[in-house]
Amino acid sequence: MQIVVYNDIEQRSPQAQLNLDEQLLQAAAKGDVGPTWRLWQDGQALVVTRKETHLPHFHSASVSLHRQGWPVVVRRSGGSTLPHTAEMLQLSLILPRGLIVVERIAQLYAWLAAPLVGLLETYGIQVGFGEVKGAFCDGSYNLVASGHKIAGTAQRWIGGLAGVPSRQGAVLAHATLFVKGQMRAPTQAVNTFYALAGGQPHYEERAVTTMETMLQKEVQMEEVRQKLLSILERGDLVDAYGNL
Amino acid sequence: MSEVRDDRRYSKEHEWVVQEEGRVRLGITDFAQNELGDVIFVELPEVGKGFHAGEAIGTVESVKSVSDVYTPISGRVVEKNEALEQRPELVNQDPYGEGWLVKIEPTDWDQEANQLLDAAAYRALIGE
């Protein structure tokens, strides 16, 4: 499978960054874009799903969080609220279903995770899929290191329902890898959002980790990014489905 | 084994439609809900909005993914299943009954329905 690697270094607003994923997805569905990896970084933001926009006090909570330095932006994939910061790496995989038949939700997660698993292995960090109690945006397809969430993942399928083979439309899977810094402020921001918006969840900082915390030493964003980029360009981890 | 009901028509995208007193009720199939996993959120269009066949009318979110849902029938939405706001799991529990999504006033039912799959063809599509 030939996948174009888009090393996206352009600065955009957090909403514009998410919009680009959606634009690539729509373009892939029309046949205008082929299979693509997009590697990118975002500014500080709280990324909510369409579900959160229905919370009773969503708008006032968004205004308040924006004032606190956490603009609230909306993505169209699944899960729940996830913080983005400049100390995280973002990876998106866009596949036209006309070119690549994705038969299972799990298969797409495995393809998305394969390069991240490979990256983390080069640092000696072993990860697998799993849920982490107390982690924000929790789900079965977190990447988990020593019981802590180190990356979040989500999907969006168009042209036919998820998990059902189709020859039309496209799929998007994206991941956020926590590379540097502490997770206290991002976790607090998520909790503040839900408290103000009228949601129930409360999350714990200790459920989430970063590469730096796992390694107990400083890592450089650019170095991590370049390593991941070289793994993507090598392209030999894409077929790791079933081998995680 | 997934349930397929003989009284309705099916799209290749795994939506079902059934005509009831001049209106068309639409939902997703048992096969589809099973593949999706536990549904946790359904976003449906506003009543009164018109759609052409093949257009996305909303989204279904499971614990693992979000999918667009399409209407195989053109027309205007006259009712949406408000119960799904509080109980999205109905899509899993009763996909052909209480888990329906919208009701549409069709503009070209006879022609568009003929282009959809009957139960036997849909069973063949899903390999059952």
Side-chain angles (χ1 to χ4, degrees):
Chain A
M1 175 168 27
Q2 184 71 30
I3 302 185
V4 169
V5 179
Y6 175 22
N7 182 25
D8 183 4
I9 57 171
E10 194 167 323
Q11 301 280 319
R12 301 179 190 85
S13 71
Q15 189 65 66
Q17 293 283 22
L18 292 167
N19 291 349
L20 183 54
D21 266 4
E22 178 69 17
Q23 288 160 15
L24 288 169
L25 176 71
Q26 297 292 343
K30 291 178 187 165
D32 296 336
V33 166
T36 303
W37 288 112
R38 177 184 173 223
L39 178 58
W40 51 289
Q41 287 173 251
D42 205 357
Q44 182 167 295
L46 275 188
V47 182
V48 304
T49 70
R50 293 285 306 158
K51 186 167 63 260
E52 271 77 37
T53 67
H54 291 256
L55 288 170
H57 307 297
F58 170 73
H59 291 290
S60 58
S62 299
V63 169
S64 179
L65 266 294
H66 189 275
R67 287 188 184 133
Q68 295 173 46
W70 291 92
V72 175
V73 298
V74 183
R75 62 187 164 91
R76 296 182 63 88
S77 55
S80 57
T81 302
L82 180 81
H84 279 187
T85 74
E87 296 183 314
M88 301 171 185
L89 268 183
Q90 311 292 335
L91 179 65
S92 306
L93 174 61
I94 298 102
L95 300 175
R97 298 169 82 174
L99 290 178
I100 298 164
V101 177
V102 188
E103 294 184 343
R104 288 279 184 273
I105 291 169
Q107 178 184 28
L108 183 58
Y109 276 119
W111 283 346
L112 173 70
L116 296 172
V117 172
L119 170 74
L120 292 166
E121 277 178 354
T122 68
Y123 287 90
I125 301 172
Q126 304 298 316
V127 293
F129 285 133
E131 297 180 7
V132 178
K133 190 177 180 189
F136 50 69
C137 198
D138 191 23
S140 311
Y141 293 98
N142 295 318
L143 284 183
V144 181
S146 301
H148 305 278
K149 175 171 181 162
I150 197 167
T153 60
Q155 295 182 1
R156 172 162 151 72
W157 297 53
I158 61 173
L161 293 165
V164 176
S166 172
R167 299 299 294 185
Q168 59 182 8
V171 294
L172 163 69
H174 48 197
T176 300
L177 174 66
F178 312 137
V179 180
K180 288 174 67 71
Q182 302 297 314
M183 295 307 290
R184 175 170 295 174
T187 306
Q188 283 179 343
V190 175
N191 285 335
T192 301
F193 168 77
Y194 279 112
L196 294 173
Q200 295 295 321
H202 185 81
Y203 303 108
E204 297 167 15
E205 174 197 356
R206 62 180 174 77
V208 186
T209 192
T210 66
M211 289 178 65
E212 265 189 357
T213 301
M214 291 297 297
L215 296 170
Q216 296 190 313
K217 67 173 187 180
E218 189 177 0
V219 294
Q220 300 300 322
M221 286 297 295
E222 191 54 29
E223 176 198 294
V224 176
R225 183 175 178 132
Q226 288 304 320
K227 279 192 177 182
L228 181 54
L229 185 61
S230 66
I231 288 170
L232 295 173
E233 287 175 338
R234 217 166 56 224
D236 58 357
L237 284 166
V238 167
D239 293 322
Y241 176 54
N243 298 325
L244 289 175
Chain B
M1 192 166 170
S2 301
E3 181 185 5
V4 178
R5 293 199 177 173
D6 290 333
D7 64 346
R8 52 202 76 197
R9 310 287 289 189
Y10 298 86
S11 72
K12 290 179 182 172
E13 287 73 44
H14 306 274
E15 290 95 11
W16 57 260
V17 286
V18 64
Q19 196 177 29
E20 296 171 337
E21 299 170 351
R23 294 175 171 183
V24 174
R25 195 156 52 98
L26 181 154
I28 67 169
T29 66
D30 187 38
F31 174 81
Q33 69 78 21
N34 197 43
E35 294 297 319
L36 281 173
D38 293 343
V39 173
I40 56 172
F41 180 66
V42 180
E43 190 163 47
L44 297 173
E46 292 305 313
V47 170
K49 194 167 181 187
F51 292 92
H52 294 293
E55 282 190 302
I57 58 161
T59 59
V60 175
E61 179 177 349
S62 74
V63 291
K64 297 178 286 190
S65 65
V66 173
S67 306
D68 280 0
V69 178
Y70 299 84
T71 173
I73 296 294
S74 303
R76 185 173 60 89
V77 174
V78 292
E79 189 177 345
K80 60 180 178 178
N81 189 351
E82 306 278 1
L84 297 180
E85 285 183 22
Q86 298 300 320
R87 298 184 61 201
E89 66 274 15
L90 289 172
V91 174
N92 298 111
Q93 293 168 357
D94 190 10
Y96 296 119
E98 287 189 80
W100 63 276
L101 302 181
V102 294
K103 291 181 183 175
I104 292 173
E105 192 172 72
T107 53
D108 197 6
W109 166 257
D110 288 340
Q111 177 142 350
E112 289 175 343
N114 277 336
Q115 293 170 10
L116 298 175
L117 307 175
D118 62 16
Y122 184 68
R123 284 190 190 96
L125 178 75
I126 61 175
E128 292 184 357

